[in-house]
Amino acid sequence: MNEPTAEGRKLSRSFGWLALLGALLVIAGVIGLVYTGVATLTSMLLFGWLLLVGGLVGLLHAIESRGTNYFWLGVVVAALNIAAGVVVIKHPEGTAEALTMFAALLFLTGGVFRLVGSVVVRGPQMGWTLLQGAFGLLLGLLVLFDWPHSSLYVLGCFFSLALLFDGLGLIAIGVGGRRIVSMVSERLDEPAATTAPDEPSTSPEDGQK
């Protein structure tokens, strides 16, 4: 009986840490939505360091696999990642402007394709697809017309929203997991009602027979 209780406490503690991490992500997301410029620069620096570290790891992996047919391809890809990471870290503002322009073009092209596709196909979800296409087209135009000033808040807003929703998801998983573990532990701790089977009664007369 002690082993399931110990495992339940361990699982409950793990889900508690998961909920705490989610709360921290929610706080970071809210702060990022308030200070979108700082969130944009932070996301760019994180992106640059990820490229740099990934390039270094890829270079080490390529060196370990030297002599194979993919050695030079791995070296070239790792070098490009390292160079891109260094550029992003040194010029986060310019990188944010370029990525914001790319995001605006993606919104525009995605909105146009959804609008044209919904009109041509005319499926059962035509109204919803039209709404999505119009929203993407409008968002792309708004970002593009305010560029490069929009690069100060667009990426930071997306980054903060991602942190916020990821944090809410982790909180839901942590709280729900703790509740499930608590319910299972309560069921395991309930005393099992064991009934002994009825034994056949023997009388002295039966013994004499």
Side-chain angles (χ1 to χ4, degrees):
M1 187 65 64
N2 293 330
E3 184 176 354
T5 303
E7 291 295 330
R9 290 175 181 174
K10 187 183 297 184
L11 282 175
S12 181
R13 192 179 301 113
S14 300
F15 281 117
W17 284 110
L18 197 64
L20 178 61
L21 177 60
L24 293 177
L25 290 180
V26 168
I27 293 173
V30 172
I31 294 175
L33 289 175
V34 176
Y35 302 100
T36 53
V38 177
T40 299
L41 292 179
T42 303
S43 62
M44 290 297 97
L45 291 176
L46 288 176
F47 180 58
W49 280 108
L50 285 176
L51 287 175
L52 184 60
V53 173
L56 292 175
V57 173
L59 183 61
L60 292 176
H61 181 70
I63 292 174
E64 290 179 356
S65 62
R66 59 183 178 274
T68 62
N69 297 328
Y70 303 100
F71 169 70
W72 288 110
L73 178 61
V75 171
V76 170
V77 172
L80 289 176
N81 286 333
I82 292 173
V86 172
V87 171
V88 172
I89 292 173
K90 286 189 175 182
H91 305 284
E93 295 88 355
T95 305
E97 292 179 1
L99 290 179
T100 303
M101 173 66 75
F102 182 69
L105 294 177
L106 282 181
F107 288 138
L108 285 173
T109 54
V112 170
F113 276 114
R114 282 192 176 92
L115 288 174
V116 174
S118 62
V119 172
V120 172
V121 177
R122 295 181 181 274
Q125 302 293 332
M126 179 180 175
W128 179 249
T129 308
L130 280 173
L131 182 62
Q132 285 182 327
F135 179 75
L137 185 63
L138 178 62
L139 185 60
L141 290 175
L142 289 175
V143 174
L144 191 61
F145 288 157
D146 199 28
W147 189 86
H149 183 263
S150 58
S151 62
L152 298 177
Y153 58 86
V154 170
L155 297 179
C157 184
F158 290 161
F159 179 68
S160 301
L161 287 175
L163 289 179
L164 181 61
F165 287 114
D166 287 344
L168 291 175
L170 290 178
I171 290 175
I173 293 173
V175 173
R178 284 175 64 92
R179 187 174 302 171
I180 293 174
V181 171
S182 177
M183 293 172 60
V184 173
S185 299
E186 290 177 359
R187 292 296 298 272
L188 290 176
D189 291 339
E190 290 180 356
T194 57
T195 58
D198 296 335
E199 296 180 355
S201 60
T202 58
S203 60
E205 296 178 355
D206 295 336
Q208 292 177 0
K209 292 180 181 179

